[in-house]
Amino acid sequence: MKAIVWQGTNRVGVETVPDPTLLLPTDAIVRVTSTAICGSDLHLLDGVIPSMERGDILGHEFMGEVVEIGRDVKNLKVGDRVVVPFNIACGACDPCRRGLFSACDNSNPNHRMAEALYGGVSGGGLFGYSHMYGGYAGGQAQYVRVPFADVGPHRIESDLRDEQVLFLTDIFPTGYQAAEQCGIVPGRDVVAVFGAGPVGQFAARSAQLLGAAHVIVIDRVPERLAMAAAAGCQTINYEQDDVLVALREATGGRGPDHVIDAVGMEAHGHGPGALADTARQRLRLSFDRITALRWALLSCAKGGTVSLPGVYGGLIDKVPMGAAFAKGLTFRMGQTHTHRHVAPLLSRIEAGEIDPSFVITHRATLDEAPDLYRTFRDKHDGCVKVVLNPWG
Amino acid sequence: MNPDSTNPDTTNPDTTNPGNTSPDSPKPDGQVTSDRTPESQAAGEGSTGAHMPPLERSVVGSVGVALIGAGLRSARPLQKLVLGGVGAGLTALAATGRNPLATALKIRQNAQGEVLVSDAVTVGKPAAELYARWRDLARLPDLMTHLQAVEVLDGRRSRWTVKAPAGTVSWEAELTADEPGQRLAWQSLPGAAVENHGEVLFRPAPGDRGTEVIVRLTYRPPAGTAGAVVARLAGEEPAQQLRDDLMRFKREQELGFAPTTQGQSSGRAATGGPA
């Protein structure tokens, strides 16, 4: 089959690789009908995520049709149309039973690698996302092996198009969880979202769905800001305005009640802090550039929540903890517990409350994907979200 | 990083590791202890640092002195510097009696040069079931991949065979405690190739989370502290094996299988699945 393969830092390619097979009786094989490039794939492309290996198949946002099931799979049958959460969870351990699917104890076969970095515990496995997270082959391919097939895949029985449900696999639940964990008081709270990429777009719209009185989106790319404005959000271009001043003005000096950092480890920003972050990252003294996190802590209102869907990888310094302490902020963060959001968000799509396909700007084949990785990374051509058809 | 964890001179017993005991601190319930020499008790040494036993100290010290001598005799200045430097370093290590590599690798030792290993995992099953799985000693090699065989000799004694870099190592052990659903403890019998003793505790976890399984073991590395360092670097040291074994145990009990990516497709021809 054809698959997108990581070939080294800043190199992805289309290769012909062996078709996946069932490795355990709880596996299923899915014929991928739609897949997408995610912002966090760019961290892999850039080589800032350790433990990638040449030849790894990328991709963690995918959906398709079940073509084969292991003998212990009970909830799926061949022919089912499914969306597959990007994180892999066993469904049996204590975190899974508490709905903390991304913190699954059992799904990462390479637990030792993450334990060494993260204080003796590892998260669950992820599709197509480095060996620290299990080294599972991803879904930017014609077929994919889905482990724990009774736990992750969710059947789509309505006639919604792929493009309307594909993002239930990652960016919609990720944006939604970011907004949900703010504890928004409907009709009262103001929410600011740093980063108007796909997750930021869904975070902003989810904040609206949850009743935010006002949503402000901060970015520097005009077409991304335009997409947020089209949803009724106020926008701030941080290259034209002083973010902290603009946010104070927009909120009568209080600051946003909740701030969502949908940027994470590769924030751009400007000024001496951003330059220092970049230098440290290049020198491998730090994984993360934290301009967005600093702005989040400095801008957030007293008693507010800082919600972090943006990915951080390692150790950070120059964090304005004094501001966070002085204002009594609450931090909420972590990998999305996708499994628990799929059904309720699917209901919202079916009810017509949101059509997630608004975020798509580019459609392509697998063969065109390496070019589109670069287009997406460089934010050229108005690129916000790329959907791939593996059979095109 | 906690600076205390790398400082063998810390006067506080290490409170972050419940299985880690110093001679002066109270033992956890039922901890199997070895005899301590009066000498080491008088010294009051803690167990957080990696201390070289006397024999290893004298060997390292002799090598250090010999290297200094060779360096002094050498005609080439670079050789003189390198040999002299390494020799002085080893001599200093012997003088302090500490192995900084072992300390940096967080290999915990008691004053007798025995290595202390402990770890824990919570498993979502009742203690009685987990105890029963563990008590079936002959089946332990399914869980512990470095174990080749456990042969049950009678109600208390068993013969353990472990894969080693050069073939296998084997010894006899006896159970020193057997409290169904709660605790197993063992001690190797005199003459064991790798002297060891330890215990497994099964403790109900708060709430409905199942059982906390705690393993504490002590062994004497065949080649002293240096042997423990080499084993750790080669990934063959019991602290690492224990972690893997406990996770394998948890997965066997909670899932009935181990997750894997072995044989999945990739762009690496050698490791790809069937074409």
Side-chain angles (χ1 to χ4, degrees):
Chain A
M1 67 166 181
K2 274 189 201 173
I4 304 298
V5 165
W6 193 81
Q7 299 171 327
T9 299
N10 283 318
R11 287 180 53 217
V12 296
V14 186
E15 293 184 13
T16 299
V17 303
D19 286 354
T21 55
L22 299 172
L23 299 180
L24 289 169
T26 45
D27 292 349
I29 304 295
V30 168
R31 178 187 185 272
V32 179
T33 54
S34 291
T35 179
I37 304 176
C38 178
S40 46
D41 287 328
L42 298 180
H43 304 318
L44 303 176
L45 182 70
D46 288 358
V48 296
I49 300 278
S51 83
M52 287 299 291
E53 288 176 20
R54 193 173 298 269
D56 287 343
I57 299 173
L58 295 173
H60 56 267
E61 296 177 334
F62 62 90
M63 63 178 296
E65 181 191 338
V66 177
V67 292
E68 197 180 351
I69 56 170
R71 64 173 185 276
D72 291 346
V73 176
K74 293 175 182 67
N75 298 343
L76 288 181
K77 58 184 191 307
V78 169
D80 282 348
R81 183 177 178 229
V82 292
V83 291
V84 183
F86 75 98
N87 29 25
I88 299 170
C90 80
C93 65
D94 185 54
C96 281
R97 286 188 292 142
R98 291 159 60 205
L100 306 173
F101 294 97
S102 69
C104 175
D105 282 341
N106 290 329
S107 61
N108 183 353
N110 298 328
H111 55 89
R112 191 194 275 177
M113 211 180 278
E115 284 165 358
L117 262 179
Y118 294 150
V121 296
S122 92
L126 304 176
F127 286 102
Y129 212 79
S130 87
H131 290 259
M132 212 164 87
Y133 289 104
Y136 288 97
Q140 286 168 8
Q142 292 180 314
Y143 295 95
V144 62
R145 167 193 170 234
V146 176
F148 299 101
D150 275 343
V151 184
H154 191 95
R155 247 193 313 274
I156 302 294
E157 278 155 346
S158 53
D159 56 1
L160 292 166
R161 289 175 292 114
D162 274 19
E163 291 186 350
Q164 292 173 288
V165 293
L166 171 61
F167 303 132
L168 289 169
T169 62
D170 179 353
I171 52 172
F172 187 11
T174 297
Y176 182 81
Q177 182 172 303
E180 186 192 47
Q181 65 195 7
C182 290
I184 295 166
V185 177
R188 174 188 180 275
D189 286 356
V190 178
V191 178
V193 179
F194 281 93
V199 168
Q201 299 290 342
F202 280 107
R205 291 187 194 223
S206 297
Q208 291 174 330
L209 288 175
L210 292 168
H214 187 54
V215 179
I216 308 163
V217 174
I218 302 101
D219 203 292
R220 63 181 176 130
V221 182
E223 53 270 21
R224 293 180 174 218
L225 291 172
M227 192 180 266
C233 302
Q234 182 185 342
T235 61
I236 297 171
N237 184 330
Y238 70 79
E239 288 190 329
Q240 290 164 7
D241 286 308
D242 182 317
V243 174
L244 299 178
V245 172
L247 282 173
R248 276 205 298 277
E249 191 180 310
T251 56
R254 301 183 308 275
D257 296 293
H258 311 289
V259 181
I260 295 170
D261 168 4
V263 178
M265 64 197 300
E266 291 191 88
H268 287 86
H270 46 64
L275 275 175
D277 288 344
T278 305
R280 274 198 298 270
Q281 195 182 43
R282 293 274 156 77
L283 292 168
R284 303 266 163 193
L285 294 174
S286 166
F287 285 121
D288 304 289
R289 306 194 300 249
I290 62 159
T291 301
L293 179 63
R294 282 193 199 103
W295 280 339
L297 299 190
L298 293 174
S299 66
C300 193
K302 293 174 183 175
T305 307
V306 173
S307 172
L308 308 177
V311 174
Y312 288 96
L315 309 167
I316 54 184
D317 58 7
K318 305 285 190 292
V319 180
M321 280 310 285
F325 180 82
K327 293 189 278 192
L329 303 184
T330 298
F331 286 29
R332 296 292 303 273
M333 63 189 86
Q335 200 77 264
T336 314
H337 306 302
T338 315
H339 299 54
R340 76 178 186 213
H341 300 299
V342 174
L345 293 182
L346 178 60
S347 299
R348 285 186 187 266
I349 298 170
E350 287 170 342
E353 291 177 47
I354 184 168
D355 180 353
S357 63
F358 77 86
V359 78
I360 302 170
T361 53
H362 289 65
R363 296 169 177 84
T365 64
L366 280 191
D367 293 316
E368 295 163 324
D371 284 340
L372 281 160
Y373 258 88
R374 285 183 282 276
T375 305
F376 181 39
R377 177 193 64 194
D378 301 335
K379 296 166 185 70
H380 285 162
D381 194 26
C383 185
V384 178
K385 188 70 183 177
V386 182
V387 172
L388 305 170
N389 173 6
W391 301 92
Chain B
M1 196 178 295
N2 172 9
D4 280 348
S5 67
T6 55
N7 180 4
D9 285 326
T10 179
T11 49
N12 299 320
D14 187 343
T15 52
T16 58
N17 291 298
N20 179 16
T21 60
S22 77
D24 301 325
S25 64
K27 308 282 180 299
D29 288 345
Q31 167 96 2
V32 179
T33 56
S34 62
D35 294 327
R36 296 179 182 283
T37 62
E39 187 187 20
S40 70
Q41 277 184 340
E45 290 166 313
S47 62
T48 41
H51 295 262
M52 289 192 268
L55 178 65
E56 189 177 354
R57 259 174 95 162
S58 55
V59 170
V60 170
S62 311
V63 171
V65 171
L67 284 178
I68 294 175
L72 290 175
R73 283 193 300 278
S74 173
R76 290 154 67 185
L78 183 63
Q79 208 171 34
K80 197 184 276 276
L81 200 66
V82 171
L83 288 177
V86 173
L90 288 178
T91 309
L93 287 187
T96 60
R98 300 226 164 78
N99 184 330
L101 258 182
T103 306
L105 290 170
K106 298 195 178 134
I107 293 173
R108 292 182 288 137
Q109 277 183 286
N110 62 19
Q112 285 76 45
E114 292 176 318
V115 178
L116 312 173
V117 173
S118 63
D119 212 331
V121 73
T122 299
V123 183
K125 283 282 177 79
E129 279 179 45
L130 303 182
Y131 161 85
R133 173 69 179 91
W134 210 287
R135 182 65 182 82
D136 187 359
L137 300 180
R139 281 183 62 220
L140 280 185
D142 302 343
L143 288 178
M144 305 180 182
T145 52
H146 59 286
L147 271 183
Q148 184 138 319
V150 180
E151 188 187 345
V152 177
L153 302 174
D154 60 35
R156 298 195 75 78
R157 288 186 312 125
S158 49
R159 168 169 289 281
W160 297 63
T161 306
V162 170
K163 290 167 199 152
T168 60
V169 179
S170 172
W171 66 84
E172 284 186 17
E174 71 171 351
L175 287 176
T176 54
D178 183 0
E179 301 158 29
Q182 291 180 44
R183 177 170 175 257
L184 282 166
W186 73 91
Q187 165 90 53
S188 62
L189 290 171
V194 182
E195 286 175 44
N196 67 93
H197 56 88
E199 63 175 345
V200 190
L201 302 176
F202 303 91
R203 192 167 69 191
D208 60 354
R209 285 175 289 197
T211 304
E212 298 169 359
V213 180
I214 298 113
V215 177
R216 299 172 181 147
L217 59 95
T218 299
Y219 74 103
R220 187 177 291 284
T225 316
V229 169
V230 171
R232 168 68 61 91
L233 295 175
E236 294 290 338
E237 204 259 339
Q240 291 161 310
Q241 292 170 341
L242 178 59
R243 183 74 198 152
D244 290 346
D245 291 344
L246 288 176
M247 289 305 286
R248 200 177 291 112
F249 181 51
K250 176 180 166 73
R251 287 165 182 186
E252 179 199 83
Q253 294 297 316
E254 292 186 346
L255 303 180
F257 63 92
T260 186
T261 55
Q262 285 294 311
Q264 71 177 353
S265 48
S266 80
R268 296 177 291 276
T271 55

